[in-house]
Amino acid sequence: RADLAANRGDVATAISLLASLRVSVMTEDAQQLSSMGLLEASIAEARGEPADALRHSRAALTHVDAIGLLFGSAAWSMAARFAFQLHDDAVISELLEMLDAYPSGQVPVTLRIQRDLARAYLAGRAGEPGAGRAFESVIGRLRTNKNPFTLAHALLEYAGHLRDAGDEAALTAAVEEATAIGSRLGCGPLLDRAAAIAPARSPAQA
C-alpha cells in the first residue's frame, strides 16, 4: 500500500504507512531492509528529490549479496533510473561494473535490458553515433517484455537523448507515449517527469 501510494504521488499516505512499518517491522532481514530502502526511494521520487531517491536505492542495493541479484534487480533498476535523471555517469558506470562482475547467465533478463539501457545512455552522453539505435533496440525489447512502467521510463531516457540530438518530432512522440502510460497507471511521479522533459509549446500550440 505504501509503495502504491508513493507511485501515485500520495506522499503523505506513503510516509504514514512507512512510519507504521518502522514500528512493526523490527528485523535485520536483508530482504525486508532492502524493501524498506526502496520504499524510501519511491517516497523521495514522489517528493521530487532524485538525489535522495538515488541514495536510498543504492542503500537498498547493498543487500544484494544476501538476497541475490534477482531480488535485488529492483534496487539496481531504481538506482540507474535516478542516476540517469541526475546525469551521474560515475554511478551508472559503477552499476554496470557491478553487473559485469556476474556471469552472464546469473543476470536476470530484466536486468540485461536495463544494463543495455544504461549503455545506450552512456553512449548518448559520449555522442556515439550508434546511441539512438541502441535506445530503439532496448525499447523494442521492453515492448516485448510487457512492463509498461519500465518502458515509460526508458522512453523518457530516450527522449532526453532526442532532445540533445535536436529531434523534436521523435522527442514529442516518446514523451507522449510515456505520458499515456503514466496516465493509465496513475503514476504521478512518472507524469511529472514526462512533463519536465516535454518540449515547450508555443502560444499557438497551447
Side-chain angles (χ1 to χ4, degrees), residues 15 17-26 36 40 43 56:
I15 289 174
L17 290 168
L18 176 59
S20 298
L21 284 169
R22 283 177 173 150
V23 172
S24 61
V25 180
M26 303 296 291
M36 295 279 279
E40 290 179 304
I43 291 172
H56 287 302

Side-chain angles (χ1 to χ4, degrees), residues 2 56 61 64 68 100-101 119 142 147 154 164 171 176 188 193 203:
H56 287 302
L61 193 57
V64 70
D100 289 343
R119 288 172 174 165
L142 284 171
N147 185 329
D164 294 341
L171 161 62
E176 286 180 349
R193 188 178 175 213

Side-chain angles (χ1 to χ4, degrees), residues 87 89 116-135 157-158 160-162 164-165:
H87 305 299
D89 297 357
D116 288 345
L117 177 62
R119 288 172 174 165
Y121 171 88
L122 289 179
R125 293 275 286 172
E128 295 178 16
R133 291 190 299 274
F135 272 112
E157 310 309 344
Y158 185 34
H161 169 73
L162 293 166
D164 294 341

Side-chain angles (χ1 to χ4, degrees), residues 109 113 137-148 151:
V109 172
I113 298 174
S137 174
V138 168
I139 288 168
R141 289 158 65 194
L142 284 171
R143 293 189 197 285
T144 303
N145 196 250
K146 297 182 178 179
N147 185 329
L151 170 61

Side-chain angles (χ1 to χ4, degrees), residues 29-36 38 57 60-78 98 102 106-108 110-111:
D29 179 76
Q31 192 166 337
Q32 290 278 5
L33 292 172
S34 180
S35 296
M36 295 279 279
L38 292 180
S57 55
L61 193 57
T62 62
H63 301 287
V64 70
D65 287 342
I67 65 178
L69 196 55
L70 179 61
F71 288 107
S73 60
W76 194 98
S77 297
M78 288 183 75
M98 174 187 167
Y102 287 84
Q106 293 183 17
V107 180
T110 54
L111 271 189

